[in-house]
Amino acid sequence: MMKKYFRKLGGAILLVAGSLMMLASPLAHAQNWPTKPIKLIIPFAAGGTTDILGRLLAQQLSKDLGQNVIVENKPGAGGNIAAEFVAQSPADGYTIMLASGSMLTVNPNLYKKLPVNYAKDFVYITNVASGPMLVSVNPKLPVKNLAEFIAYAKTKDLNFGSAGIGSQVHMAGENLTYAAGIPATHVPYKGESAAINDLVAGQIDFMVGNLTAATGFAKNGQIKPLAVTSQKRSKQLPDVPTVAEAGIPGFESTGWFGLVAPANTPKVITDKIYAATVKAVNSEAMRNSLDLNGLTAVVNNQKDFESQVKAESASWEKVIKGRNISAQ
């Protein structure tokens, strides 16, 4: 009788021990993270600002985390294709995304149907960097400055390119046309680099693109820079005035980029990603690279990041409804 009792007791103890080991296993995996390469998903095509920043960050994170951080581009639908892929990925820290600010603040207000819920399907980790935009035109356009461009645009049916519907480049273009009081047709692309290439070729008339992606083309004379959207002139293009200086007082438009992971990613992992990102953007190598590309390092904690997204989302909701901008 006693032997039977101890056999049952032993079985119960083993069952409890096994359950505790199963509970402890995910925690142990999280604490040991990372033990294999990490995928950094870029929602736009290669060559654009998100891609350039992502590759700079991946290189530095690889050093700091001791594992390769592999950049993978998944362009299309204003970043929604990449967002869906990441949202459906395991919440284990091995798939993260460098999102543009517009994905988190504009897309939820712009698209009637979305494959993801940006507020619930992701955990926001931190901002990484921000930067101004550049108003530029095809060199064949008969204008020398922003004032001439605005006057010319009021008499012509011009079009402007972007990295996709709802992208920061798209919304910056909408902001400019609204502030300048000019009509223009939006032409979306799968990435910023494709739009710039068509601007160079004369397939589109103008862009309000990220300074990082457009500076090289401007310096080479392939596009004509008219104004930067920051409060101060850019060190990369010191002879180019701000939009405010060039004729639209108070105008400013800044793009930013942040890291997100699938919802339910363990906090111990997101904390490690945050700490590694802070270390990365504060490194001399990355600071120099960001400065060279016209970007400014920006890191904030999860709470502040979420508050920023919430505030900007409310602001964009008013703009989108007021201008009747929509996407399928």
Side-chain angles (χ1 to χ4, degrees):
M1 188 76 176
M2 290 296 292
K3 288 181 179 180
K4 187 176 181 181
Y5 169 76
F6 282 117
R7 278 200 300 271
K8 288 184 177 180
L9 180 61
I13 292 172
L14 287 172
L15 182 63
V16 171
S19 298
L20 289 174
M21 288 179 65
M22 289 178 66
L23 289 172
S25 182
L27 179 60
H29 283 305
Q31 289 174 336
N32 292 331
W33 182 93
T35 58
K36 62 180 183 180
I38 302 157
K39 284 194 290 189
L40 176 59
I41 304 301
I42 304 299
F44 303 99
T49 301
T50 318
D51 178 70
I52 293 170
L53 175 60
R55 292 179 189 277
L56 291 174
L57 180 63
Q59 185 177 21
Q60 197 63 42
L61 287 179
S62 295
K63 297 177 183 178
D64 296 336
L65 293 172
Q67 291 288 342
N68 286 332
V69 178
I70 303 166
V71 170
E72 188 173 318
N73 298 83
K74 289 189 176 294
N80 293 328
I81 290 174
E84 182 178 18
F85 175 81
V86 174
Q88 293 178 353
S89 297
D92 56 10
Y94 292 104
T95 302
I96 58 178
M97 179 170 66
L98 182 63
S100 67
S102 61
M103 290 174 60
L104 308 179
T105 62
V106 174
N107 285 6
N109 296 306
L110 186 66
Y111 285 84
K112 295 178 181 178
K113 292 183 180 179
L114 282 172
V116 296
N117 184 320
Y118 280 97
K120 296 181 179 179
D121 291 343
F122 302 99
V123 55
Y124 298 163
I125 301 173
T126 182
N127 278 146
V128 177
S130 67
M133 321 291 277
L134 178 68
V135 182
S136 54
V137 300
N138 177 271
K140 294 181 180 179
L141 219 64
V143 298
K144 295 178 181 178
N145 52 51
L146 187 65
E148 287 185 7
F149 167 72
I150 293 173
Y152 181 76
K154 288 180 178 179
T155 67
K156 302 290 182 179
D157 185 17
L158 301 184
N159 56 32
F160 69 97
S162 80
I165 297 174
S167 65
Q168 292 180 155
V169 181
H170 173 204
M171 302 313 293
E174 295 284 0
N175 267 345
L176 179 75
T177 57
Y178 179 79
I182 58 176
T185 301
H186 174 229
V187 182
Y189 291 80
K190 286 188 176 181
E192 187 174 12
S193 58
I196 293 176
N197 287 335
D198 267 9
L199 180 63
V200 172
Q203 298 300 312
I204 55 176
D205 299 306
F206 72 98
M207 272 186 69
V208 187
N210 286 291
L211 183 71
T212 304
T215 296
F217 294 91
K219 287 183 175 180
N220 291 336
Q222 293 171 286
I223 60 176
K224 187 186 298 182
L226 300 183
V228 291
T229 64
S230 49
Q231 290 182 343
K232 297 180 180 179
R233 294 193 182 197
S234 166
K235 288 190 293 184
Q236 284 69 30
L237 298 168
D239 295 330
V240 178
T242 67
V243 174
E245 288 176 325
I248 307 179
F251 186 93
E252 184 181 4
S253 183
T254 303
W256 57 265
F257 311 86
L259 283 175
V260 301
N264 300 317
T265 299
K267 190 174 185 301
V268 65
I269 292 177
T270 58
D271 283 349
K272 287 183 178 182
I273 296 171
Y274 172 77
T277 303
V278 172
K279 183 178 179 181
V281 299
N282 284 320
S283 68
E284 184 178 0
M286 191 161 176
R287 286 270 180 176
N288 290 338
S289 294
L290 290 174
D291 187 60
L292 186 65
N293 283 284
L295 294 167
T296 301
V298 181
V299 287
N300 54 7
N301 59 38
Q302 182 179 346
K303 184 179 179 181
D304 289 342
F305 191 7
E306 289 175 348
S307 296
Q308 176 190 358
V309 170
K310 186 176 180 180
E312 288 193 20
S313 182
S315 178
W316 277 119
E317 182 181 15
K318 294 178 182 178
V319 172
I320 290 166
K321 286 182 178 180
R323 299 183 199 172
N324 197 29
I325 307 169
S326 65
Q328 298 299 320

PDB file of all heavy atoms in Angstrom, residues 57-77:
ATOM      1  N   LEU A  57      22.461  50.292 -39.055  1.00  0.00           N
ATOM      2  CA  LEU A  57      22.106  49.763 -37.743  1.00  0.00           C
ATOM      3  C   LEU A  57      22.451  48.283 -37.625  1.00  0.00           C
ATOM      4  O   LEU A  57      22.992  47.845 -36.605  1.00  0.00           O
ATOM      5  CB  LEU A  57      20.610  49.976 -37.491  1.00  0.00           C
ATOM      6  CG  LEU A  57      20.073  49.482 -36.150  1.00  0.00           C
ATOM      7  CD1 LEU A  57      20.721  50.236 -34.989  1.00  0.00           C
ATOM      8  CD2 LEU A  57      18.550  49.637 -36.087  1.00  0.00           C
ATOM      9  N   ALA A  58      22.156  47.510 -38.666  1.00  0.00           N
ATOM     10  CA  ALA A  58      22.421  46.067 -38.643  1.00  0.00           C
ATOM     11  C   ALA A  58      23.904  45.785 -38.440  1.00  0.00           C
ATOM     12  O   ALA A  58      24.288  44.872 -37.684  1.00  0.00           O
ATOM     13  CB  ALA A  58      21.921  45.429 -39.936  1.00  0.00           C
ATOM     14  N   GLN A  59      24.731  46.556 -39.109  1.00  0.00           N
ATOM     15  CA  GLN A  59      26.180  46.369 -38.995  1.00  0.00           C
ATOM     16  C   GLN A  59      26.652  46.583 -37.558  1.00  0.00           C
ATOM     17  O   GLN A  59      27.453  45.803 -37.026  1.00  0.00           O
ATOM     18  CB  GLN A  59      26.895  47.333 -39.937  1.00  0.00           C
ATOM     19  CG  GLN A  59      28.405  47.147 -39.990  1.00  0.00           C
ATOM     20  CD  GLN A  59      29.065  48.076 -40.986  1.00  0.00           C
ATOM     21  OE1 GLN A  59      28.498  49.106 -41.372  1.00  0.00           O
ATOM     22  NE2 GLN A  59      30.258  47.737 -41.427  1.00  0.00           N
ATOM     23  N   GLN A  60      26.129  47.626 -36.924  1.00  0.00           N
ATOM     24  CA  GLN A  60      26.547  47.927 -35.559  1.00  0.00           C
ATOM     25  C   GLN A  60      25.948  46.945 -34.554  1.00  0.00           C
ATOM     26  O   GLN A  60      26.615  46.517 -33.611  1.00  0.00           O
ATOM     27  CB  GLN A  60      26.145  49.365 -35.201  1.00  0.00           C
ATOM     28  CG  GLN A  60      26.865  49.925 -33.992  1.00  0.00           C
ATOM     29  CD  GLN A  60      28.370  50.034 -34.195  1.00  0.00           C
ATOM     30  OE1 GLN A  60      28.831  50.439 -35.253  1.00  0.00           O
ATOM     31  NE2 GLN A  60      29.126  49.650 -33.184  1.00  0.00           N
ATOM     32  N   LEU A  61      24.664  46.579 -34.755  1.00  0.00           N
ATOM     33  CA  LEU A  61      24.029  45.622 -33.842  1.00  0.00           C
ATOM     34  C   LEU A  61      24.713  44.262 -33.896  1.00  0.00           C
ATOM     35  O   LEU A  61      24.794  43.561 -32.879  1.00  0.00           O
ATOM     36  CB  LEU A  61      22.544  45.469 -34.184  1.00  0.00           C
ATOM     37  CG  LEU A  61      21.610  46.629 -33.812  1.00  0.00           C
ATOM     38  CD1 LEU A  61      20.184  46.319 -34.254  1.00  0.00           C
ATOM     39  CD2 LEU A  61      21.643  46.916 -32.315  1.00  0.00           C
ATOM     40  N   SER A  62      25.182  43.872 -35.070  1.00  0.00           N
ATOM     41  CA  SER A  62      25.875  42.588 -35.217  1.00  0.00           C
ATOM     42  C   SER A  62      27.092  42.541 -34.299  1.00  0.00           C
ATOM     43  O   SER A  62      27.381  41.515 -33.670  1.00  0.00           O
ATOM     44  CB  SER A  62      26.300  42.365 -36.665  1.00  0.00           C
ATOM     45  OG  SER A  62      25.180  42.245 -37.517  1.00  0.00           O
ATOM     46  N   LYS A  63      27.808  43.667 -34.214  1.00  0.00           N
ATOM     47  CA  LYS A  63      28.983  43.734 -33.340  1.00  0.00           C
ATOM     48  C   LYS A  63      28.581  43.672 -31.869  1.00  0.00           C
ATOM     49  O   LYS A  63      29.189  42.961 -31.068  1.00  0.00           O
ATOM     50  CB  LYS A  63      29.753  45.028 -33.593  1.00  0.00           C
ATOM     51  CG  LYS A  63      30.330  45.162 -34.993  1.00  0.00           C
ATOM     52  CD  LYS A  63      31.007  46.521 -35.161  1.00  0.00           C
ATOM     53  CE  LYS A  63      31.529  46.726 -36.572  1.00  0.00           C
ATOM     54  NZ  LYS A  63      32.152  48.071 -36.746  1.00  0.00           N
ATOM     55  N   ASP A  64      27.530  44.421 -31.533  1.00  0.00           N
ATOM     56  CA  ASP A  64      27.138  44.543 -30.122  1.00  0.00           C
ATOM     57  C   ASP A  64      26.445  43.294 -29.586  1.00  0.00           C
ATOM     58  O   ASP A  64      26.558  42.966 -28.406  1.00  0.00           O
ATOM     59  CB  ASP A  64      26.219  45.753 -29.942  1.00  0.00           C
ATOM     60  CG  ASP A  64      26.933  47.064 -30.255  1.00  0.00           C
ATOM     61  OD1 ASP A  64      28.172  47.100 -30.168  1.00  0.00           O
ATOM     62  OD2 ASP A  64      26.244  48.042 -30.593  1.00  0.00           O
ATOM     63  N   LEU A  65      25.704  42.574 -30.458  1.00  0.00           N
ATOM     64  CA  LEU A  65      24.942  41.406 -30.007  1.00  0.00           C
ATOM     65  C   LEU A  65      25.678  40.094 -30.205  1.00  0.00           C
ATOM     66  O   LEU A  65      25.272  39.060 -29.680  1.00  0.00           O
ATOM     67  CB  LEU A  65      23.589  41.349 -30.735  1.00  0.00           C
ATOM     68  CG  LEU A  65      22.607  42.471 -30.398  1.00  0.00           C
ATOM     69  CD1 LEU A  65      21.387  42.403 -31.324  1.00  0.00           C
ATOM     70  CD2 LEU A  65      22.157  42.384 -28.942  1.00  0.00           C
ATOM     71  N   GLY A  66      26.741  40.115 -30.990  1.00  0.00           N
ATOM     72  CA  GLY A  66      27.508  38.889 -31.208  1.00  0.00           C
ATOM     73  C   GLY A  66      26.849  37.906 -32.152  1.00  0.00           C
ATOM     74  O   GLY A  66      27.235  36.740 -32.208  1.00  0.00           O
ATOM     75  N   GLN A  67      25.843  38.357 -32.885  1.00  0.00           N
ATOM     76  CA  GLN A  67      25.170  37.539 -33.896  1.00  0.00           C
ATOM     77  C   GLN A  67      24.943  38.402 -35.138  1.00  0.00           C
ATOM     78  O   GLN A  67      24.748  39.617 -35.027  1.00  0.00           O
ATOM     79  CB  GLN A  67      23.822  37.014 -33.382  1.00  0.00           C
ATOM     80  CG  GLN A  67      23.910  35.971 -32.283  1.00  0.00           C
ATOM     81  CD  GLN A  67      24.411  34.623 -32.791  1.00  0.00           C
ATOM     82  OE1 GLN A  67      24.392  34.353 -33.987  1.00  0.00           O
ATOM     83  NE2 GLN A  67      24.850  33.774 -31.866  1.00  0.00           N
ATOM     84  N   ASN A  68      24.941  37.752 -36.299  1.00  0.00           N
ATOM     85  CA  ASN A  68      24.676  38.505 -37.518  1.00  0.00           C
ATOM     86  C   ASN A  68      23.249  39.037 -37.526  1.00  0.00           C
ATOM     87  O   ASN A  68      22.312  38.305 -37.207  1.00  0.00           O
ATOM     88  CB  ASN A  68      24.878  37.615 -38.755  1.00  0.00           C
ATOM     89  CG  ASN A  68      26.345  37.350 -39.039  1.00  0.00           C
ATOM     90  OD1 ASN A  68      27.205  38.162 -38.703  1.00  0.00           O
ATOM     91  ND2 ASN A  68      26.638  36.221 -39.642  1.00  0.00           N
ATOM     92  N   VAL A  69      23.102  40.308 -37.879  1.00  0.00           N
ATOM     93  CA  VAL A  69      21.785  40.902 -38.083  1.00  0.00           C
ATOM     94  C   VAL A  69      21.640  41.081 -39.594  1.00  0.00           C
ATOM     95  O   VAL A  69      22.355  41.869 -40.211  1.00  0.00           O
ATOM     96  CB  VAL A  69      21.645  42.251 -37.354  1.00  0.00           C
ATOM     97  CG1 VAL A  69      20.274  42.864 -37.628  1.00  0.00           C
ATOM     98  CG2 VAL A  69      21.843  42.063 -35.847  1.00  0.00           C
ATOM     99  N   ILE A  70      20.743  40.295 -40.178  1.00  0.00           N
ATOM    100  CA  ILE A  70      20.615  40.217 -41.630  1.00  0.00           C
ATOM    101  C   ILE A  70      19.458  41.083 -42.111  1.00  0.00           C
ATOM    102  O   ILE A  70      18.319  40.916 -41.678  1.00  0.00           O
ATOM    103  CB  ILE A  70      20.390  38.753 -42.068  1.00  0.00           C
ATOM    104  CG1 ILE A  70      21.552  37.886 -41.568  1.00  0.00           C
ATOM    105  CG2 ILE A  70      20.253  38.651 -43.586  1.00  0.00           C
ATOM    106  CD1 ILE A  70      21.279  36.403 -41.648  1.00  0.00           C
ATOM    107  N   VAL A  71      19.751  42.006 -43.011  1.00  0.00           N
ATOM    108  CA  VAL A  71      18.725  42.893 -43.567  1.00  0.00           C
ATOM    109  C   VAL A  71      17.955  42.158 -44.655  1.00  0.00           C
ATOM    110  O   VAL A  71      18.547  41.535 -45.538  1.00  0.00           O
ATOM    111  CB  VAL A  71      19.359  44.173 -44.151  1.00  0.00           C
ATOM    112  CG1 VAL A  71      18.333  44.972 -44.944  1.00  0.00           C
ATOM    113  CG2 VAL A  71      19.942  45.024 -43.028  1.00  0.00           C
ATOM    114  N   GLU A  72      16.640  42.243 -44.577  1.00  0.00           N
ATOM    115  CA  GLU A  72      15.775  41.610 -45.579  1.00  0.00           C
ATOM    116  C   GLU A  72      14.706  42.613 -46.007  1.00  0.00           C
ATOM    117  O   GLU A  72      13.912  43.067 -45.192  1.00  0.00           O
ATOM    118  CB  GLU A  72      15.122  40.355 -44.994  1.00  0.00           C
ATOM    119  CG  GLU A  72      14.360  39.525 -46.014  1.00  0.00           C
ATOM    120  CD  GLU A  72      13.883  38.201 -45.433  1.00  0.00           C
ATOM    121  OE1 GLU A  72      14.652  37.550 -44.693  1.00  0.00           O
ATOM    122  OE2 GLU A  72      12.722  37.817 -45.720  1.00  0.00           O
ATOM    123  N   ASN A  73      14.710  42.975 -47.277  1.00  0.00           N
ATOM    124  CA  ASN A  73      13.747  43.947 -47.808  1.00  0.00           C
ATOM    125  C   ASN A  73      12.449  43.271 -48.221  1.00  0.00           C
ATOM    126  O   ASN A  73      12.464  42.270 -48.935  1.00  0.00           O
ATOM    127  CB  ASN A  73      14.325  44.680 -49.019  1.00  0.00           C
ATOM    128  CG  ASN A  73      15.570  45.478 -48.677  1.00  0.00           C
ATOM    129  OD1 ASN A  73      16.668  44.927 -48.644  1.00  0.00           O
ATOM    130  ND2 ASN A  73      15.413  46.756 -48.430  1.00  0.00           N
ATOM    131  N   LYS A  74      11.329  43.825 -47.755  1.00  0.00           N
ATOM    132  CA  LYS A  74      10.001  43.331 -48.132  1.00  0.00           C
ATOM    133  C   LYS A  74       9.125  44.527 -48.489  1.00  0.00           C
ATOM    134  O   LYS A  74       8.291  44.957 -47.699  1.00  0.00           O
ATOM    135  CB  LYS A  74       9.381  42.501 -47.006  1.00  0.00           C
ATOM    136  CG  LYS A  74      10.041  41.145 -46.805  1.00  0.00           C
ATOM    137  CD  LYS A  74       9.267  40.278 -45.841  1.00  0.00           C
ATOM    138  CE  LYS A  74       9.900  38.892 -45.750  1.00  0.00           C
ATOM    139  NZ  LYS A  74       9.804  38.147 -47.020  1.00  0.00           N
ATOM    140  N   PRO A  75       9.325  45.099 -49.689  1.00  0.00           N
ATOM    141  CA  PRO A  75       8.603  46.323 -50.062  1.00  0.00           C
ATOM    142  C   PRO A  75       7.176  46.072 -50.511  1.00  0.00           C
ATOM    143  O   PRO A  75       6.800  44.943 -50.844  1.00  0.00           O
ATOM    144  CB  PRO A  75       9.448  46.863 -51.220  1.00  0.00           C
ATOM    145  CG  PRO A  75      10.006  45.630 -51.871  1.00  0.00           C
ATOM    146  CD  PRO A  75      10.286  44.679 -50.732  1.00  0.00           C
ATOM    147  N   GLY A  76       6.395  47.142 -50.509  1.00  0.00           N
ATOM    148  CA  GLY A  76       5.045  47.101 -51.056  1.00  0.00           C
ATOM    149  C   GLY A  76       3.976  47.556 -50.085  1.00  0.00           C
ATOM    150  O   GLY A  76       4.110  47.413 -48.868  1.00  0.00           O
ATOM    151  N   ALA A  77       2.913  48.151 -50.657  1.00  0.00           N
ATOM    152  CA  ALA A  77       1.721  48.562 -49.897  1.00  0.00           C
ATOM    153  C   ALA A  77       2.046  49.492 -48.745  1.00  0.00           C
ATOM    154  O   ALA A  77       1.482  49.384 -47.650  1.00  0.00           O
ATOM    155  CB  ALA A  77       0.970  47.337 -49.391  1.00  0.00           C
TER     156      ALA A  77
END
